[in-house]
Amino acid sequence: MVRSALRTPWEPRTSRCTASTSTPQGRSSSRRWTISRIARCRNRGPRPRADIGAREVYYDQVVKGGIQVFPEYNGALLATAVDKASTATDTEDINAELRKKLPSSVEILDSAEAQDKDSVTVTAATAKKYNLKTLADLKPVAGEWTIGAGSEFKTRTQGWVGLKKIYGVEFGKFQPLDAGAQSTLLKLLNSDKVQAANIYTTDPAIVEDKLVVLEDPKNLFSSQNLTPLVHKSGVNDTAKAALNGVSAKLTTTDLLDMMKKLVNDKEDAATVAKEWLTKAGLTTT
């Protein structure tokens, strides 16, 4: 989904691990890029690499060691790359399944409290007109509507497939967008070119544009804690400790605050990362 943007990949080099975050121009990319900078600023993290693409592209690289660290979303990782039939929805169950089912070459480290979940979001005017509060409320109207999302949303259980299976909701049309096209998606939604959109829950536009995130009582969208995915042989104990130290401090509120600075104020990711490290009481030397 458009989320494939918060990542910064970390590619291998001879004596130091590398981290990856996909395309930094997108919302999701910006978030992951900043997380990678946080680890790097502690002088224990890998060298960030951008423009890595969607999970369908980078996951295999992590498994093979081409990328050694990736700031992942645990729920999406499980449901889209590890076990598409999994029904786990909370953090504890998701991580237990990942530890059991991931290939032997990789592992997850500690999850942060911070989450950035998928959502189906509409404008306030649309929600009021059609009395929309939950995903189930879309069923009578979705057939006449278009939903906008990253192209991968169309084939994912936590997306188009699950909306139909779990809620009986099937949109009339699907408007695919490339990773990083969040600003375009928001323009389409606010201009009613699409009537619903897959927007992530820490996007500052939800508050600024007074958008309505539809409730998900049946947990179509699972927990999405930021969780480092690492290639075991490429990450030493010092780097793991640095990454776990970040996870222990990072909250959803922190993510939202950083996204405002990155997306709205156009601040530099490394600067935002250093500011957060100082606020969190983590050393930058």
Side-chain angles (χ1 to χ4, degrees):
M1 308 175 187
V2 178
R3 167 190 329 244
S4 47
L6 180 203
R7 339 195 192 216
T8 298
W10 298 332
E11 62 189 332
R13 40 180 180 181
T14 50
S15 60
R16 173 170 288 162
C17 62
T18 329
S20 187
T21 70
S22 61
T23 56
Q25 67 264 30
R27 183 192 58 81
S28 206
S29 296
S30 300
R31 197 175 297 101
R32 281 197 172 107
W33 179 261
T34 303
I35 301 310
S36 72
R37 295 307 306 168
I38 287 171
R40 183 63 175 161
C41 285
R42 297 190 72 192
N43 293 323
R44 298 175 180 85
R47 175 170 61 92
R49 186 182 106 199
D51 303 314
I52 202 64
R55 184 172 292 104
E56 286 78 357
V57 176
Y58 66 74
Y59 174 71
D60 190 55
Q61 295 187 48
V62 182
V63 171
K64 294 178 179 178
I67 295 171
Q68 295 173 321
V69 183
F70 201 97
E72 257 294 4
Y73 295 100
N74 57 350
L77 173 63
L78 176 63
T80 65
V82 178
D83 182 2
K84 295 181 180 181
S86 173
T87 58
T89 58
D90 64 52
T91 302
E92 183 176 355
D93 290 345
I94 289 168
N95 285 351
E97 289 202 23
L98 284 171
R99 292 187 175 101
K100 181 179 179 180
K101 298 175 181 178
L102 278 168
S104 60
S105 61
V106 297
E107 65 180 331
I108 57 168
L109 303 183
D110 295 347
S111 289
E113 178 273 329
Q115 292 197 53
D116 186 29
K117 296 187 70 170
D118 286 276
S119 76
V120 174
T121 294
V122 299
T123 64
T126 297
K128 182 178 181 180
K129 181 177 180 180
Y130 296 98
N131 193 29
L132 302 178
K133 296 180 180 179
T134 76
L135 293 176
D137 296 332
L138 290 167
K139 188 174 182 179
V141 294
E144 302 297 322
W145 287 5
T146 299
I147 185 170
S151 57
E152 62 272 22
F153 185 88
K154 185 70 180 292
T155 58
R156 288 182 174 175
T157 300
Q158 294 189 40
W160 181 282
V161 175
L163 280 170
K164 182 177 180 180
K165 181 178 180 180
I166 296 174
Y167 285 101
V169 170
E170 186 169 14
F171 284 88
K173 294 182 180 179
F174 178 70
Q175 176 62 60
L177 292 97
D178 293 333
Q182 190 76 358
S183 60
T184 300
L185 179 58
L186 289 166
K187 289 178 182 177
L188 292 173
L189 181 63
N190 285 314
S191 63
D192 202 37
K193 296 294 191 342
V194 301
Q195 290 69 52
N198 172 222
I199 294 176
Y200 299 97
T201 54
T202 61
D203 197 309
I206 291 174
V207 174
E208 293 172 1
D209 296 346
K210 297 181 172 59
L211 302 176
V212 176
V213 175
L214 298 180
E215 297 174 14
D216 178 20
K218 296 183 180 180
N219 296 315
L220 166 62
F221 300 122
S222 63
S223 295
Q224 302 292 350
N225 303 82
L226 271 168
T227 305
L229 174 68
V230 304
H231 188 81
K232 290 179 181 178
S233 65
V235 182
N236 62 28
D237 290 342
T238 302
K240 289 180 182 180
L243 291 164
N244 284 336
V246 170
S247 293
K249 296 279 189 175
L250 190 65
T251 68
T252 302
T253 300
D254 292 334
L255 280 187
L256 182 57
D257 180 60
M258 285 189 280
M259 286 309 300
K260 288 178 180 177
K261 292 177 180 179
L262 291 165
V263 175
N264 297 348
D265 302 333
K266 310 299 182 183
E267 292 188 23
D268 176 67
T271 300
V272 173
K274 289 179 180 179
E275 289 176 352
W276 181 83
L277 281 168
T278 300
K279 178 183 175 182
L282 299 173
T283 179
T284 60
T285 59

